[in-house]
Amino acid sequence: MNQTDSTAKRRSLILAGGGIKVAFQAGVMQVWLDEAGLHFDHVDGASGGVFNLAMMCQGMNGTQIADNWRKLDPRAGISFNPADLARLAYAESLFTLDAYRHRVFPQWGLDWNKIRASSLNATFNVFNFSRKELQVIEPRNMSEDMLAACVSLPMWFPPVHIGGETFIDAVYLSDANIEEAIRRGADELWVIWTVSEKDEWHPGFVATYFQIIETSADGHYRAIRKRIDANNDAIARGQPGEFGRPIAVKELKADVALHYLIDFSQDRLVETVNLGVQRAREWCKASGISLSHQGPDYPINVQEVPTKLSFTEEMKGFWSEGESDFARGAAEGQKTGTDLMFHLTITIDGVHGFVVRPEHDTTDIAGYVESRSFGGKCQVQWGRFNLFTDDPDPSTKYMLYRLFFTDRQGRPFTLSGKKNVKDEPGSDVWRATTTLYTHILNGHVSKEAEEAATRDPRALAAMTAGAGIIIISMLDFQRQLTTFRVEAPTIAERLTALNEFARLFFGKLWDVYARDVLTSGPF
């Protein structure tokens, strides 16, 4: 934004809360601040968002903030409150923030003198329980105690006492202080929102507590959005409106597969940051915002040991030419004996990189597709496999297959397959992870070209050679388990790589099938 242009809009960056989901927010900041080069006249932070705001006040750029989260082992921030737990129902909190104070803040390199000296027009939000009011703190008044107070979620962490007054997290009153941003002259609000808006109620103390948080955070945010909409409508009709000027809101919202507080997996935390990078780049492209420069996709690899993991998968079923419906194609193919199968060896070169990339993809695929329609076995010329990509609703995931091959008559085809992993009536984890809904496409068709064709029925019909369903039988699955191979310099590193892959696999299944226990897998 040109600061000398009197017509330029004043922008506020709203770093809303969301517990440790704000790791996603840090990934967005990497893109907005560094790659898009966006300038903000004011920055507001509430609840977990104050962590990113503190680093920004210190002068860190977006990538440095994102890397701080990538390097963080979430277990480093855990400190129980055993002495207080002895009081049972009268305990003040389950945990303390001591580990954050003594380990995490130093690891992030927080320097309170630099933060207090910041020239950034920034506002931290905390609830002053003594005065029963939301209190806005500027950088010059920040301290370690005050930052801890801004995230002191009742029952989980003890309140913080400063100057004879008691402070707690502001989330019950505001998870994004939009009014303060408008008071400070904002014409545009750039909001990063990670608090879940799903219409989904789960039982139990932990789920209920955070559903109350969602009630408060989402409720207050939607209320101020309605006021902004009413203001803008009034101004458009020639009336003054509540705020006296149009207020534009630019939102990047995400339902992130990371629990607000309970996470023991660094891999999942790194993946969350990287997801923020991915979604922000997509958001900028859709919004017409060019990136002046784009660094490596995910610049920090916290494990540099070279590893490879491979396994063989065989799926069999039926398909029918000229059909676009999976079930009808499979049924007709079974009647006519039109078989379809593939035999693949999938190799993951760099297990850690695979695990922390949101795409969870590899193109190292060898094998063949076979059907009498193709004249027998046809070697896979190129392939891509994605394991558990989000919908983007993390309670629905997909396993994606894209295989290029040429039949015995020299005709190019693409096998485009999807496993739908979703907890719904009539579905179970076995069927979801072993059933591949398959289209055979004419030509070698990219994902982007197929997605574009779905918006044009005639183009899709011309592209689609047929459809069917192939599955993994129990016997083939048992064989598949014996094909896992891991390469790494030592036995311990091979076990670590295998364990990392297994945590990814079962953690993603948790996100879908164990949400009543905890909405995201903690491991």
Side-chain angles (χ1 to χ4, degrees), residues 14-133:
I14 307 298
L15 301 177
I20 57 173
K21 289 177 184 279
V22 298
F24 174 94
Q25 185 182 91
V28 175
M29 293 170 72
Q30 173 182 316
V31 176
W32 281 8
L33 299 180
D34 300 356
E35 298 181 9
L38 296 173
H39 169 78
F40 295 96
D41 303 281
H42 164 254
V43 187
D44 181 78
S47 195
V50 300
F51 288 148
N52 292 329
L53 179 55
M55 289 185 260
M56 195 174 177
C57 285
Q58 190 167 321
M60 297 184 195
N61 62 32
T63 303
Q64 289 171 324
I65 295 169
D67 285 349
N68 268 344
W69 283 98
R70 289 185 178 101
K71 296 173 184 176
L72 176 65
D73 184 339
R75 293 170 296 183
I78 298 172
S79 51
F80 289 99
N81 194 356
D84 208 49
L85 288 178
R87 299 171 62 193
L88 300 176
Y90 293 94
E92 188 172 51
S93 68
L94 298 173
F95 301 93
T96 73
L97 285 165
D98 291 348
Y100 266 85
R101 291 173 180 265
H102 301 147
R103 289 199 290 269
V104 177
F105 293 169
Q107 180 181 325
W108 284 346
L110 294 187
D111 184 318
W112 305 105
N113 289 327
K114 288 183 180 179
I115 292 170
R116 284 190 285 268
S118 175
S119 61
L120 187 68
N121 181 12
T123 48
F124 296 79
N125 294 277
V126 68
F127 186 74
N128 187 319
F129 183 80
S130 299
R131 302 183 193 179
K132 303 297 188 292
E133 66 181 21

Side-chain angles (χ1 to χ4, degrees), residues 458-471:
R458 287 180 296 181
L460 184 61
M463 178 182 291
T464 304
I469 298 173
I470 57 179
I471 65 171

Side-chain angles (χ1 to χ4, degrees), residues 261-498:
L261 196 61
I262 303 173
D263 174 59
F264 308 108
S265 169
Q266 186 173 15
D267 288 348
R268 189 175 280 258
L269 196 65
V270 175
E271 181 191 354
T272 298
V273 180
N274 293 341
L275 181 65
V277 172
Q278 180 193 75
R279 295 281 175 85
R281 288 173 178 167
E282 294 169 351
W283 186 92
C284 285
K285 182 178 180 180
S287 302
I289 299 172
S290 60
L291 304 182
S292 58
H293 71 279
Q294 182 173 321
D297 281 351
Y298 314 119
I300 289 293
N301 186 353
V302 297
Q303 292 182 2
E304 297 180 352
V305 175
T307 58
K308 277 189 179 183
L309 182 146
S310 63
F311 59 91
T312 298
E313 183 173 45
E314 189 166 282
M315 303 190 73
K316 302 171 184 175
F318 300 92
W319 79 296
S320 179
E321 294 185 59
E323 181 59 71
S324 60
D325 181 84
F326 303 115
R328 288 199 302 264
E332 183 63 27
Q334 191 166 16
K335 287 180 185 177
T336 60
T338 309
D339 63 323
L340 178 65
M341 67 90 69
F342 66 56
H343 179 96
L344 304 175
T345 296
I346 297 172
T347 301
I348 297 164
D349 189 356
V351 175
H352 179 74
F354 178 86
V355 167
V356 300
R357 286 197 308 273
E359 304 92 337
H360 306 304
D361 64 328
T362 181
T363 57
D364 193 343
I365 297 174
Y368 59 85
V369 177
E370 183 175 2
S371 173
R372 70 175 191 174
S373 301
F374 307 135
K377 293 181 180 179
C378 306
Q379 292 299 312
V380 171
Q381 296 159 281
W382 179 88
R384 181 182 295 277
F385 168 67
N386 299 80
L387 179 68
F388 290 129
T389 61
D390 289 348
D391 184 40
D393 177 354
S395 65
T396 298
K397 301 185 187 296
Y398 301 123
M399 297 188 205
L400 306 176
Y401 297 72
R402 185 165 301 274
L403 308 175
F404 291 177
F405 65 96
T406 300
D407 74 359
R408 293 302 179 92
Q409 298 180 42
R411 298 177 299 174
F413 290 101
T414 299
L415 185 154
S416 174
K418 178 187 290 185
K419 296 178 183 177
N420 302 316
V421 184
K422 184 176 182 179
D423 189 12
E424 57 186 357
S427 176
D428 58 67
V429 63
W430 169 256
R431 185 181 306 172
T433 56
T434 59
T435 303
L436 188 69
Y437 297 94
T438 306
H439 276 136
I440 301 296
L441 308 176
N442 293 307
H444 290 166
V445 181
S446 68
K447 175 185 175 184
E448 293 73 21
E450 183 179 4
E451 289 175 345
T454 59
R455 296 187 287 272
D456 182 347
R458 287 180 296 181
L460 184 61
M463 178 182 291
T464 304
I469 298 173
I470 57 179
I471 65 171
I472 303 174
S473 69
M474 179 59 75
L475 180 59
D476 285 337
F477 177 71
Q478 291 171 347
R479 288 174 182 155
Q480 180 177 332
L481 292 178
T482 68
T483 67
F484 275 82
R485 300 289 185 271
V486 182
E487 298 178 28
T490 68
I491 292 176
E493 288 160 349
R494 289 198 290 272
L495 291 173
T496 296
L498 185 60

Side-chain angles (χ1 to χ4, degrees), residues 226-264:
K226 288 181 179 179
R227 289 167 55 195
I228 291 172
D229 290 343
N231 168 81
N232 293 346
D233 289 344
I235 291 173
R237 295 193 304 268
Q239 300 171 1
E242 178 184 354
F243 304 117
R245 64 186 185 280
I247 306 295
V249 181
K250 301 178 183 296
E251 295 176 328
L252 198 165
K253 291 184 173 182
D255 193 349
V256 179
L258 186 70
H259 193 267
Y260 297 101
L261 196 61
I262 303 173
D263 174 59
F264 308 108

Side-chain angles (χ1 to χ4, degrees), residues 213-231:
I213 293 289
E214 292 168 2
T215 300
S216 179
D218 290 330
H220 283 102
Y221 180 64
R222 291 188 182 193
I224 185 62
R225 280 302 317 273
K226 288 181 179 179
R227 289 167 55 195
I228 291 172
D229 290 343
N231 168 81

Side-chain angles (χ1 to χ4, degrees), residues 159-180:
V160 178
H161 305 285
I162 303 172
E165 295 183 313
T166 301
F167 297 87
I168 60 173
D169 194 310
V171 66
Y172 284 106
L173 205 61
S174 176
D175 215 25
N177 197 343
I178 303 298
E179 291 95 330
E180 183 65 25

